[in-house]
Amino acid sequence: MSASIYSTTVDAESAMTKNGGDVELLPFVYDKHGGIIIEMTSPMDPQAFSASLKSLLSKWREQGIRGVWIKLPISLANLIQSAVEEGFWYHHAEETYLMLAYWLPNTPHTLPVNATHRVGVGAFVMNDKREVNYVSCVITRTQFFFQGEDINIGVVREVKEETGVDAEFVEVLAFRQSHKAYFEKSDLFFVCILRPLSFDITKQESEIEDAQWMPVEEFAAQPFVQKHELVKYILEVGLAKSDKEYAGFSPISIKSAFSPKQSLFYMNRRDLEKASGPIINTQKDS
Amino acid sequence: MSASIYSTTVDAESAMTKNGGDVELLPFVYDKHGGIIIEMTSPMDPQAFSASLKSLLSKWREQGIRGVWIKLPISLANLIQSAVEEGFWYHHAEETYLMLAYWLPNTPHTLPVNATHRVGVGAFVMNDKREVNYVSCVITRTQFFFQGEDINIGVVREVKEETGVDAEFVEVLAFRQSHKAYFEKSDLFFVCILRPLSFDITKQESEIEDAQWMPVEEFAAQPFVQKHELVKYILEVGLAKSDKEYAGFSPISIKSAFSPKQSLFYMNRRDLEKASGPIINTQKDS
């Protein structure tokens, strides 16, 4: 299954459809894959919306347009049914809008899929006395990122929010993928090790149990750790990193070939740097 | 930010609201967090739906219910506006339904967030002649999983679909997190190394460039690799794994403390196994 890439629009146009001259305008733009995005912002009579849509779809079919999107703010929920009657289906929704999609050709669509995963973090944080901050160590309920947040930033924020402890990100030690966690969606849970920079536990959210520093062996001996395999492995990889030569993944910033955006690439940098010299004819810019 | 867990319902009830006795039934169940899920399956007059909803919300507010969900199939799009008028907002949508949510108390809601990430895979596949199957090596357009698919399964399927080559999963070598990739959502791209089990390139999808085996140095020397940092690092970690001591993450199956479900936990097993003996007082069941 491959997916074409939806991105910013590159061209804009407003359409006057020719249906006796009295069909209302629909605001639309071309996306960079030759598809169409109708973005409604103003109220419109549902009948007029239907008539305009029908007329435009007919024109676009002749033109060989494939994908058509309609973005409807929640305030225009009264237009959804008209779009559905013309053959549109739901692509995704956020709090304030619904995105509908339609595929004009008689072929399976190649539109990008909706988001499939939530992402959470668990943090292993141990002080010099080999005490773990056990709320940080075992965030059993997945803590979700703000949309658009980097893992190495989000985990530091979560630990601060939950415990008041300042810490710096070291590595991703492991991750878990699970399915059908919430609304049939999947879940990725990144286990990170953080180095504490402050030690006073000053606050916690009302929903979590009390946070405190606790000797790691005492924590590990608790029955629930024995039966909770995720917690057990968080401790194992955390201690393997603290005491032994365990290497996790740490990030470097790389740039995209398609835009000026930077993103983070997480890898086993220790092992990569051990590999003698550049392996291939490219410059490393770690 | 923490999130309560939406899951299967644990109790069911149908409600006859008492509004002169002529308010229609709405099918609802309690979720296991004390919230309510209304799942509409049959057509209903929008006015009757509004009246029932208003009456139920008033009752639930008195009862101290916090979260209320409405799941509407696309065939009942005509009921969306009524729900929005009662204060519901869009939580998420899939092709065939829209999920709306409402929070009764005057506090910030603690409902779980919508999915935030897409997940894709890139595969590094090299044969004994140090030739990479360059389509597999550089899947520049993120290939998305089917919903609910494991990374180690999905990447093998993708390589087979794109190139016809059978291969077995070895390790996750690295991953990239990027943001605002598609519809403001974020993207996680897992770079995997696969061991080829067959070598004939027998088919490819029409959308991709021709696949072929190509000497890795020749592939690496191409200008686009030099300027495409993601591809460059896929090659670097792939070759570091093939030729050197690079350790990535490989999965073991673990069970959840909360359900009989299994999930996969990916970690640096080589380093963990090097760590002498059990580090803490738990049994390893690798």
Side-chain angles (χ1 to χ4, degrees), chain A residues 1 94 113 117-118 150-151 161 175 179 185 207 229 232-233 247 255 261 266 268 271 283 285, chain B residues 1-2 94 113 117-118 150 161 175 177 179 185 229 232-233 247 255 266 268 271 283 285:
Chain A
M1 179 179 65
E94 296 295 329
V113 297
H117 282 66
R118 286 183 181 74
D150 281 311
I151 291 166
E161 281 181 19
F175 65 87
H179 300 297
K185 294 294 183 178
E207 293 173 34
E229 292 195 320
K232 197 183 79 170
Y233 280 106
K255 66 174 193 295
K261 279 191 304 186
Y266 289 77
N268 181 340
D271 285 2
Q283 302 89 356
D285 60 351
Chain B
M1 178 179 64
S2 65
E94 296 294 331
V113 296
H117 282 66
R118 287 184 180 75
D150 281 311
E161 283 182 17
F175 65 86
Q177 187 186 25
H179 301 297
K185 295 292 182 179
E229 291 196 320
K232 197 183 80 171
Y233 278 106
K255 66 174 194 295
Y266 289 78
N268 181 340
D271 284 3
Q283 302 89 358
D285 60 353

Side-chain angles (χ1 to χ4, degrees), chain A residues 1-3 5-6 69 74 77-78 80-81 84 88-95 97-99 110 113-119 143-145 147-151 158 161 172-186 188 190-191 205 207 226 228-230 232-233 235-237 239-240 244-247 249 252 254-255 257-258 261 263-268 270-272 275-276 279-285, chain B residues 1-3 5-6 69 74 77-78 80-81 84 88-95 97-99 110 113-119 143-151 158 161 172-186 188 190 205 207 226 228-230 232-233 235-237 239-240 244-247 249 252 254-255 257 261 263-268 270-272 275-276 279-285:
Chain A
M1 179 179 65
S2 65
I5 296 169
Y6 170 100
W69 304 92
I74 194 167
N78 65 323
I80 297 170
Q81 197 184 358
V84 170
F88 282 79
W89 37 270
Y90 302 156
H91 185 274
H92 69 277
E94 296 295 329
E95 192 160 335
Y97 75 88
L98 175 67
M99 183 73 86
T110 59
V113 297
N114 192 1
T116 56
H117 282 66
R118 286 183 181 74
V119 173
Q143 309 295 317
F144 297 116
F145 286 130
Q147 195 155 309
E149 191 170 31
D150 281 311
I151 291 166
E158 286 287 353
E161 281 181 19
V172 171
L173 298 182
F175 65 87
R176 182 196 61 175
Q177 187 187 25
S178 56
H179 300 297
K180 297 190 182 247
Y182 305 80
F183 302 117
E184 303 299 305
K185 294 294 183 178
S186 300
L188 277 160
F190 289 90
V191 177
E205 290 189 3
E207 293 173 34
Q226 303 294 325
H228 196 322
E229 292 195 320
L230 177 63
K232 197 183 79 170
Y233 280 106
L235 284 175
E236 289 219 16
V237 294
L239 287 169
K244 315 273 181 178
E245 291 294 302
Y246 184 98
F249 287 175
I252 60 164
I254 64 172
K255 66 174 193 295
F258 307 111
K261 279 191 304 186
S263 55
L264 292 180
F265 191 74
Y266 289 77
M267 60 185 164
N268 181 340
R270 187 200 67 188
D271 285 2
L272 195 66
S276 55
I279 300 169
I280 50 174
N281 184 25
T282 60
Q283 302 89 356
K284 268 199 261 185
D285 60 351
Chain B
M1 178 179 64
S2 65
I5 296 168
Y6 170 98
W69 303 92
I74 193 167
N78 66 324
I80 297 170
Q81 197 184 358
V84 170
F88 282 78
W89 36 270
Y90 303 155
H91 186 271
H92 68 277
E94 296 294 331
E95 191 159 336
Y97 75 88
L98 175 67
M99 183 73 85
T110 60
V113 296
N114 192 2
T116 55
H117 282 66
R118 287 184 180 75
V119 173
Q143 308 296 316
F144 297 115
F145 286 129
F146 294 123
Q147 195 154 308
E149 190 169 31
D150 281 311
I151 291 165
E158 287 286 353
E161 283 182 17
V172 171
L173 298 181
F175 65 86
R176 182 196 60 175
Q177 187 186 25
S178 56
H179 301 297
K180 297 191 183 246
Y182 304 82
F183 302 117
E184 302 299 305
K185 295 292 182 179
S186 299
L188 277 159
F190 289 90
E205 290 188 3
E207 292 174 33
Q226 303 293 325
H228 196 322
E229 291 196 320
L230 178 62
K232 197 183 80 171
Y233 278 106
L235 284 175
E236 290 218 14
V237 293
L239 288 169
K244 314 274 181 178
E245 292 293 302
Y246 184 97
F249 287 175
I252 60 166
I254 64 172
K255 66 174 194 295
K261 281 191 304 187
S263 55
L264 293 179
F265 191 75
Y266 289 78
M267 59 186 165
N268 181 340
R270 185 200 69 187
D271 284 3
L272 195 66
S276 55
I279 300 168
I280 50 173
N281 184 26
T282 61
Q283 302 89 358
K284 269 201 260 184
D285 60 353

Side-chain angles (χ1 to χ4, degrees), chain A residues 28-171:
Chain A
F28 73 86
V29 294
Y30 290 94
D31 68 25
K32 65 181 180 186
H33 305 282
I36 297 281
I37 306 168
I38 300 170
E39 184 164 354
M40 298 297 294
T41 52
S42 308
M44 189 170 179
D45 173 73
Q47 265 89 42
F49 179 68
S50 288
S52 298
L53 203 51
K54 204 182 290 286
S55 165
L56 283 168
L57 288 174
S58 160
K59 182 181 111 182
W60 290 331
R61 199 183 301 271
E62 285 171 24
Q63 291 177 354
I65 296 289
R66 305 193 305 164
V68 182
W69 304 92
I70 302 177
K71 186 174 180 179
L72 282 178
I74 194 167
S75 59
L76 303 182
N78 65 323
L79 301 181
I80 297 170
Q81 197 184 358
S82 301
V84 170
E85 283 167 2
E86 296 304 320
F88 282 79
W89 37 270
Y90 302 156
H91 185 274
H92 69 277
E94 296 295 329
E95 192 160 335
T96 58
Y97 75 88
L98 175 67
M99 183 73 86
L100 298 107
Y102 189 46
W103 187 248
L104 288 167
N106 289 323
T107 57
H109 82 76
T110 59
L111 300 172
V113 297
N114 192 1
T116 56
H117 282 66
R118 286 183 181 74
V119 173
V121 285
F124 180 89
V125 186
M126 189 165 74
N127 65 19
D128 291 342
K129 291 180 266 180
R130 292 184 66 76
E131 293 168 331
V132 292
N133 179 333
Y134 79 88
V135 168
S136 298
C137 176
V138 192
I139 303 179
T140 52
R141 282 163 309 168
T142 303
Q143 309 295 317
F144 297 116
F145 286 130
F146 294 122
Q147 195 155 309
E149 191 170 31
D150 281 311
I151 291 166
N152 61 343
I153 304 295
V155 67
V156 168
R157 181 185 52 71
E158 286 287 353
V159 167
K160 177 70 174 175
E161 281 181 19
E162 299 279 345
T163 68
V165 169
D166 296 302
E168 65 181 359
F169 175 83
V170 181
E171 278 182 0

Side-chain angles (χ1 to χ4, degrees), chain B residues 200-219:
Chain B
D200 286 347
I201 292 174
T202 54
K203 70 173 182 187
Q204 56 256 13
E205 290 188 3
S206 59
E207 292 174 33
I208 62 172
E209 295 161 67
D210 288 340
Q212 62 174 79
W213 292 101
M214 179 189 277
V216 64
E217 285 75 14
E218 186 182 322
F219 177 75

Side-chain angles (χ1 to χ4, degrees), chain B residues 3 22 35 41 62 79 90-91 97 104 131 150 159 217 261:
Chain B
D22 58 354
T41 52
E62 283 171 25
L79 301 181
Y90 303 155
H91 186 271
Y97 75 88
L104 288 167
E131 293 169 331
D150 281 311
V159 166
E217 285 75 14
K261 281 191 304 187

Side-chain angles (χ1 to χ4, degrees), chain B residues 26-247:
Chain B
L26 289 187
F28 72 86
V29 296
Y30 290 94
D31 68 24
K32 66 180 181 187
H33 305 282
I36 297 281
I37 306 169
I38 300 170
E39 184 164 355
M40 298 299 293
T41 52
S42 309
M44 189 170 178
D45 173 73
Q47 265 88 42
F49 179 69
S50 287
S52 298
L53 202 53
K54 205 182 289 284
S55 166
L56 283 168
L57 287 175
S58 159
K59 184 182 109 181
W60 289 331
R61 198 183 302 271
E62 283 171 25
Q63 290 176 354
I65 297 290
R66 305 193 303 164
V68 181
W69 303 92
I70 301 177
K71 186 174 180 179
L72 282 179
I74 193 167
S75 59
L76 303 182
N78 66 324
L79 301 181
I80 297 170
Q81 197 184 358
S82 300
V84 170
E85 283 169 1
E86 295 305 321
F88 282 78
W89 36 270
Y90 303 155
H91 186 271
H92 68 277
E94 296 294 331
E95 191 159 336
T96 58
Y97 75 88
L98 175 67
M99 183 73 85
L100 298 107
Y102 189 45
W103 187 248
L104 288 167
N106 289 322
T107 57
H109 83 76
T110 60
L111 300 172
V113 296
N114 192 2
T116 55
H117 282 66
R118 287 184 180 75
V119 173
V121 285
F124 181 90
V125 186
M126 188 164 75
N127 65 18
D128 291 343
K129 291 181 266 180
R130 292 183 67 76
E131 293 169 331
V132 293
N133 179 330
Y134 78 89
V135 168
S136 298
C137 177
V138 191
I139 303 180
T140 51
R141 282 162 309 166
T142 304
Q143 308 296 316
F144 297 115
F145 286 129
F146 294 123
Q147 195 154 308
E149 190 169 31
D150 281 311
I151 291 165
N152 60 343
I153 305 295
V155 68
V156 169
R157 182 185 52 70
E158 287 286 353
V159 166
K160 177 71 176 173
E161 283 182 17
E162 299 278 346
T163 68
V165 169
D166 295 302
E168 66 180 359
F169 175 83
V170 182
E171 278 182 0
V172 171
L173 298 181
F175 65 86
R176 182 196 60 175
Q177 187 186 25
S178 56
H179 301 297
K180 297 191 183 246
Y182 304 82
F183 302 117
E184 302 299 305
K185 295 292 182 179
S186 299
D187 185 82
L188 277 159
F189 182 80
F190 289 90
V191 177
C192 304
I193 185 164
L194 271 57
R195 185 178 299 122
L197 301 172
S198 75
F199 301 93
D200 286 347
I201 292 174
T202 54
K203 70 173 182 187
Q204 56 256 13
E205 290 188 3
S206 59
E207 292 174 33
I208 62 172
E209 295 161 67
D210 288 340
Q212 62 174 79
W213 292 101
M214 179 189 277
V216 64
E217 285 75 14
E218 186 182 322
F219 177 75
Q222 295 176 106
F224 91 90
V225 176
Q226 303 293 325
K227 74 171 188 222
H228 196 322
E229 291 196 320
L230 178 62
V231 179
K232 197 183 80 171
Y233 278 106
I234 290 174
L235 284 175
E236 290 218 14
V237 293
L239 288 169
K241 176 70 196 177
S242 298
D243 300 346
K244 314 274 181 178
E245 292 293 302
Y246 184 97

